[in-house]
Amino acid sequence: MKKLLNSLNESQLKAVEYNKSAHMIVAGAGSGKTRVLTVKIAYLLNEGYEPESILSLTFTNKAANEMKERVQKIVGAKAKKIWMGTFHSTFARILRTEAETLNYRTNYSIYDKEDSVSLVNNVMNALDIQLDGMTPAKVHHKISNFKNHMISPEDYADNIAKSAFERKIGQIYAEYNKRLIENNAMDFDDLLLKPIELFSNNLKILQKYRKQFKYILVDEFQDTNKAQYEILKMLTTTRHKICVVGDDAQSIYGWRGADLSNMLNFEKDFPKAQTFRLEQNYRSTQMILKAADSVIKNNKTQIPKTLWTENEEGEKLTVVKCSDEKDEAIQIIKRIKKEVATRKLSYNDIAILYRINSQSRTLEDAMRRDKIPYKIIGGVEFYRRKEIKDILGYLRVFANQDDEESLLRIMNFPQRGIGNTSITKMIAFARKWNLNLFQTMARVFEVIEVKERIQKNVKQFKLLLDKYIGLKDELSLSELTSALVDELGLLKMYKEENTPESLARLENVHELLKSINEFCAENKKASLDQYLADISLIAGIDNMKDEENSVTMMTVHSAKGLEFPIVFVTGLEEDIFPLNQRFDEDSRQEEERRLFYVAITRAEDKVYITHARSRYRFGEVAYQSRSRFIEELDESTYEEEFGNIGRKSSKRKKSIYDEFYQESYDDYNQDSRSFRVGSRVVHEVFGNGKILAINGQGDMQKISVAFDEYGVKHLLSKFANLKMA
């Protein structure tokens, strides 16, 4: 242990050995926070803490597993007994144990985003509520936001909802929560809200976990939301030790409820708290750190710190001006080939980061054309693919017959002639007699509105489900799933279809069966409930395989916590990065700036930044000025290159290219009414938006506008009364 402690720098050592009260470790990018956390846990075990008394929370399974493996190498097998995992997986585990106290059964389902959006859609249909411009996905986003801020349906209805529109949202929210309970299901947000409910209403249970967890450690503390912080405060008394680790400059999840004030107010909430700063960076060159600092210093809300490094000065960043997104892809590939050749790198040493997923298509096309291997992180995740979710739908019904969403998913898969009309009539029967859909299937012959032929199909389907529900405790999980896939004829169906898509589905089903075999091999007493709980909490980044020799492509959000020798940050244009041209709040602009800071600090040796003077968006060629974040970079930290022009300069100069921007993007005189595609406009009802298309002339001229809050609207110019933003 002494040798390990001696390997730390002075600041790291102080943070590891401090053990008197609550403390916060402000860990700058690349400052070795994972190492500090790992050594601290090992140090606590060495100091006499029982592994079961340590609760270590982070945000990805990948991070938790890597940390547990590192601790295990230091202290041995006892590290397996540490409570280490994500917030969601850890409290899902507690909720399994205490489910009955909350009137749930231990086999409750966990709904991912797709399941939750589907439930919102079904609720909206059942209530016959249609909201102009509000898809079920957008409604679910609002509901998730309410939950993240601990606003119950009752709170929303009584204190927030004022307009008719808001009252309808409140109706949907209330019914959505009611359906979750009826389905014996929780969504991701419930995995954080239900523990608060559990601890608030049951002091005995709260004391049980307070007694168990004597030391709590939290990684990525800047990303915690209100509910997560509330749980931490409930579990912590003056007798407990809590250590939180984070970097306010990397707080990038405000859009999903993360609350930076948790970190900013930590010393206020824990008056005796100590703060330690890790400011030595071990990842990046001096030039990269100087560039990142020159941008992030423009944020007003932050904890003061100065990153420094003993690494070499390094190369300047390269800002590449491109004509359009195709040229951008060409320039990136050209530089990838150059870097691989000159630095003797592998493809997996390179990452391409983008602000929004839609940017990846042109890049992918170019990568395939030039035969450069790549992998996309955060696309359609394996366990979210249709054929996988269909099979998992069966397994979830075997485990939980109240799970109506899963039952609806598999009712007609494979095709068995049970149409939507018949299902709707069965649901109406279920509601009338206070049954769930599974129970209704057993009484389908009483649903006289359903045709006899379809009643027989439903009965056969019910017999199939009953058979496997009976087998789930007799067969291993692997045997159960293999038998199901075989009886459903899925492998034969996909093989006979013989299309590229069906063969891909076939391969994915084989991969699922393989993964279940591996799960059973690793967990000798693996249960169906345990397996379903584990895969429900897997994120895209958890499946990333470092050994693949391929360029990594992902959004900047997905890149959090990763590092690469070479990083390309793409699409640095206003309205893309930062995502919004206009900001309602300074905090939104500051979060975009933190996101850019995260992107730059993923790099060890070299950063390329690309931007295009035109880009195809919303069905039109859009012209946008380059990002304000490029303008904020210290001029001594970067050089500029022209893509298809091929010119290079070490300092920004006025050029024909800049004049093009000036002509294309300067705000037009508001009185001129000279609207053009790409113009930002304001409507008195719909608010801010951007013109996508202008068709016709005179009184019949129509303008299509993508409004920030209400989506695309097609307006008659004569009556729209639009103004330049």
Side-chain angles (χ1 to χ4, degrees):
M1 192 70 208
K2 187 176 180 181
K3 184 179 179 182
L4 199 59
L5 294 175
N6 288 338
S7 69
L8 303 175
N9 66 38
E10 185 179 349
S11 299
Q12 291 173 333
L13 182 62
K14 286 181 180 178
V16 165
E17 292 185 329
Y18 186 79
N19 193 21
K20 293 180 180 178
S21 62
H23 49 297
M24 177 168 64
I25 302 173
V26 181
S31 62
K33 72 174 178 64
T34 302
R35 178 173 176 75
V36 168
L37 270 173
T38 302
V39 176
K40 189 171 184 72
I41 292 171
Y43 179 78
L44 292 174
L45 293 172
N46 193 60
E47 289 291 293
Y49 280 88
E50 294 296 327
E52 298 91 340
S53 71
I54 297 174
L55 173 61
S56 178
L57 299 166
T58 186
F59 277 79
T60 68
N61 292 301
K62 182 181 174 69
N65 291 334
E66 287 178 355
M67 195 177 298
K68 186 173 284 189
E69 287 174 8
R70 291 189 192 187
V71 175
Q72 197 169 331
K73 286 180 181 178
I74 299 170
V75 301
K78 63 180 177 180
K80 292 181 179 179
K81 296 180 181 180
I82 297 170
W83 277 63
M84 186 178 293
T86 65
F87 273 89
H88 290 90
S89 64
T90 299
F91 291 104
R93 178 179 172 185
I94 288 175
L95 290 170
R96 292 274 174 208
T97 303
E98 314 295 347
E100 292 182 2
T101 306
L102 293 167
N103 294 319
Y104 275 84
R105 289 178 297 288
T106 57
N107 63 342
Y108 66 81
S109 299
I110 299 173
Y111 283 2
D112 62 18
K113 182 178 177 181
E114 184 184 336
D115 300 321
S116 300
V117 170
S118 175
L119 180 55
V120 169
N121 183 55
N122 290 335
V123 166
M124 290 174 71
N125 289 335
L127 297 177
D128 195 22
I129 292 178
Q130 299 301 319
L131 299 170
D132 188 31
M134 289 290 288
T135 62
K138 288 183 178 179
V139 175
H140 171 256
H141 180 74
K142 280 187 172 293
I143 291 173
S144 180
N145 195 44
F146 298 152
K147 289 191 173 188
N148 281 328
H149 289 87
M150 297 174 62
I151 300 170
S152 69
E154 296 74 23
D155 291 337
Y156 182 74
D158 295 341
N159 304 314
I160 298 174
K162 305 299 181 187
S163 67
F165 177 87
E166 290 173 334
R167 285 193 290 273
K168 286 180 179 178
I169 293 288
Q171 280 182 267
I172 297 168
Y173 183 18
E175 183 64 19
Y176 170 83
N177 262 13
K178 179 170 173 276
R179 292 280 188 91
L180 281 173
I181 294 169
E182 289 173 352
N183 289 1
N184 190 34
M186 297 186 196
D187 63 18
F188 264 44
D189 300 310
D190 286 333
L191 297 180
L192 301 177
L193 288 177
K194 295 298 180 182
I196 295 173
E197 180 184 336
L198 178 71
F199 296 152
S200 297
N201 298 332
N202 299 273
L203 182 59
K204 187 176 180 180
I205 292 176
L206 174 59
Q207 297 287 20
K208 167 184 169 183
Y209 289 101
R210 279 179 173 175
K211 184 177 180 181
Q212 178 169 347
F213 302 131
K214 294 182 172 57
Y215 216 114
I216 300 175
L217 302 101
V218 185
D219 193 11
E220 305 289 2
F221 184 58
Q222 77 279 350
D223 293 331
T224 54
N225 61 25
K226 184 176 181 179
Q228 288 164 326
Y229 195 30
E230 189 63 30
I231 293 172
L232 292 174
K233 288 190 287 187
M234 293 179 87
L235 286 173
T236 310
T237 68
T238 53
R239 299 192 308 275
H240 291 79
K241 307 292 172 58
I242 181 169
C243 170
V244 300
V245 185
D247 181 8
D248 57 296
Q250 297 186 68
S251 178
I252 58 174
Y253 292 109
W255 52 275
R256 71 180 188 194
D259 191 348
L260 182 57
S261 67
N262 293 346
M263 190 166 188
L264 300 175
N265 296 331
F266 185 77
E267 291 176 327
K268 186 188 300 181
D269 294 331
F270 295 87
K272 295 182 180 180
Q274 296 292 311
T275 298
F276 300 89
R277 285 175 172 79
L278 306 184
E279 297 175 311
Q280 182 176 358
N281 177 285
Y282 293 92
R283 176 189 301 153
S284 306
T285 64
Q286 295 174 27
M287 192 66 68
I288 291 171
L289 290 185
K290 184 177 180 182
D293 182 65
S294 67
V295 175
I296 200 63
K297 72 180 182 183
N298 290 285
N299 274 4
K300 297 174 183 176
T301 306
Q302 57 181 301
I303 297 173
K305 59 184 168 300
T306 303
L307 284 189
W308 60 278
T309 183
E310 293 179 347
N311 294 343
E312 62 182 15
E313 182 181 12
E315 295 181 29
K316 291 183 177 182
L317 287 69
T318 300
V319 176
V320 186
K321 298 181 177 182
C322 309
S323 59
D324 57 23
E325 68 267 35
K326 290 184 179 178
D327 183 39
E328 181 182 49
I330 290 169
Q331 300 308 321
I332 289 171
I333 285 176
K334 176 181 172 183
R335 286 160 180 80
I336 287 175
K337 290 179 177 178
K338 173 188 168 188
E339 292 290 355
V340 168
T342 58
R343 297 182 195 256
K344 309 299 181 188
L345 297 174
S346 300
Y347 285 124
N348 59 10
D349 292 323
I350 298 170
I352 301 174
L353 310 182
Y354 35 82
R355 179 63 182 84
I356 48 180
N357 278 307
S358 59
Q359 289 175 253
S360 72
R361 188 194 62 80
T362 305
L363 293 164
E364 284 189 78
D365 289 345
M367 300 286 273
R368 284 195 296 265
R369 188 170 56 247
D370 278 76
K371 295 182 172 56
I372 294 178
Y374 68 92
K375 57 178 175 282
I376 291 185
I377 306 301
V380 179
E381 300 161 18
F382 180 76
Y383 290 102
R384 306 292 182 259
R385 297 181 188 276
K386 180 187 181 303
E387 60 276 16
I388 303 304
K389 289 211 69 168
D390 289 338
I391 296 172
L392 295 178
Y394 276 92
L395 297 181
R396 285 165 64 165
V397 172
F398 299 162
N400 174 19
Q401 289 83 62
D402 290 325
D403 187 349
E404 191 170 281
E405 288 305 304
S406 293
L407 186 53
L408 287 171
R409 182 180 190 96
I410 65 173
M411 184 75 73
N412 209 29
F413 174 82
Q415 289 287 332
R416 48 177 64 92
I418 308 172
N420 288 334
T421 302
S422 299
I423 293 172
T424 301
K425 291 173 180 176
M426 290 167 60
I427 291 174
F429 181 89
R431 301 288 182 264
K432 179 181 178 180
W433 296 103
N434 196 27
L435 304 171
N436 63 32
L437 186 56
F438 186 82
Q439 293 167 329
T440 299
M441 291 170 64
R443 296 173 56 177
V444 68
F445 292 109
E446 298 177 40
V447 187
I448 57 175
E449 297 87 353
V450 175
K451 294 178 182 178
E452 185 178 347
R453 173 180 57 83
I454 298 174
Q455 288 176 341
K456 290 179 180 178
N457 292 344
V458 172
K459 189 67 175 178
Q460 286 299 116
F461 179 45
K462 175 68 163 51
L463 290 173
L464 173 76
L465 296 179
D466 287 340
K467 171 184 171 182
Y468 281 93
I469 289 167
L471 288 172
K472 72 181 176 72
D473 294 325
E474 296 181 21
L475 300 179
S476 70
L477 175 59
S478 176
E479 292 168 333
L480 184 79
T481 312
S482 295
L484 171 70
V485 168
D486 185 55
E487 183 158 351
L488 294 177
L490 298 184
L491 300 180
K492 181 181 178 183
M493 179 179 74
Y494 291 135
K495 194 172 183 179
E496 288 179 349
E497 192 175 326
N498 199 31
T499 64
E501 183 183 31
S502 70
L503 294 177
R505 294 187 191 282
L506 177 65
E507 185 177 338
N508 286 335
V509 173
H510 278 301
E511 185 63 27
L512 175 66
L513 295 175
K514 177 186 172 186
S515 72
I516 291 175
N517 284 335
E518 291 172 350
F519 178 83
C520 291
E522 293 170 7
N523 303 272
K524 299 301 182 184
K525 297 181 180 180
S527 68
L528 177 58
D529 290 343
Q530 182 187 347
Y531 174 73
L532 292 173
D534 280 10
I535 62 168
S536 295
L537 299 165
I538 290 175
I541 193 69
D542 296 328
N543 293 317
M544 180 174 171
K545 297 178 181 178
D546 298 329
E547 67 271 14
E548 293 179 8
N549 185 23
S550 52
V551 174
T552 301
M553 295 172 56
M554 61 185 129
T555 64
V556 184
H557 283 99
S558 296
K560 178 80 176 297
L562 303 177
E563 56 187 44
F564 302 87
I566 311 294
V567 171
F568 290 83
V569 188
T570 65
L572 262 292
E573 299 131 39
E574 291 291 301
D575 210 27
I576 292 182
F577 203 172
L579 189 57
N580 299 296
Q581 256 186 349
R582 307 283 175 177
F583 296 91
D584 298 331
E585 304 171 358
D586 287 343
S587 62
R588 291 176 62 191
Q589 182 176 341
E590 293 203 351
E591 180 158 317
E592 288 289 310
R593 187 175 285 109
R594 291 194 293 267
L595 192 59
F596 182 59
Y597 174 86
V598 166
I600 292 177
T601 55
R602 298 311 91 201
E604 298 170 357
D605 302 318
K606 177 69 179 179
V607 175
Y608 289 93
I609 296 170
T610 64
H611 62 105
R613 65 184 180 186
S614 70
R615 194 177 294 271
Y616 194 79
R617 299 186 73 203
F618 305 115
E620 298 282 346
V621 176
Y623 297 94
Q624 289 145 185
S625 56
R626 72 180 190 172
S627 171
R628 68 192 70 189
F629 299 148
I630 295 178
E631 308 303 330
E632 292 174 358
L633 284 169
D634 185 319
E635 286 192 355
S636 69
T637 65
Y638 71 96
E639 60 185 14
E640 295 192 63
E641 294 180 354
F642 287 77
N644 58 1
I645 298 174
R647 287 196 287 164
K648 178 177 178 178
S649 66
S650 60
K651 193 173 181 180
R652 186 167 190 265
K653 297 176 181 178
K654 187 75 174 177
S655 66
I656 296 173
Y657 188 77
D658 294 305
E659 289 168 5
F660 175 89
Y661 272 153
Q662 185 76 24
E663 180 184 347
S664 300
Y665 302 115
D666 279 354
D667 286 341
Y668 301 106
N669 187 304
Q670 290 196 21
D671 296 326
S672 71
R673 307 285 296 174
S674 180
F675 296 127
R676 302 184 188 182
V677 172
S679 296
R680 294 286 298 183
V681 293
V682 177
H683 186 275
E684 61 182 8
V685 174
F686 302 128
N688 291 329
K690 182 176 180 179
I691 294 178
L692 303 183
I694 302 175
N695 298 300
Q697 294 179 341
D699 289 350
M700 298 308 293
Q701 186 183 69
K702 293 181 180 178
I703 300 182
S704 298
V705 183
F707 289 102
D708 298 343
E709 297 295 330
Y710 290 90
V712 177
K713 301 292 181 185
H714 307 286
L715 309 171
L716 204 58
S717 181
K718 179 180 179 180
F719 303 109
N721 195 27
L722 294 172
K723 295 180 181 179
M724 298 300 292

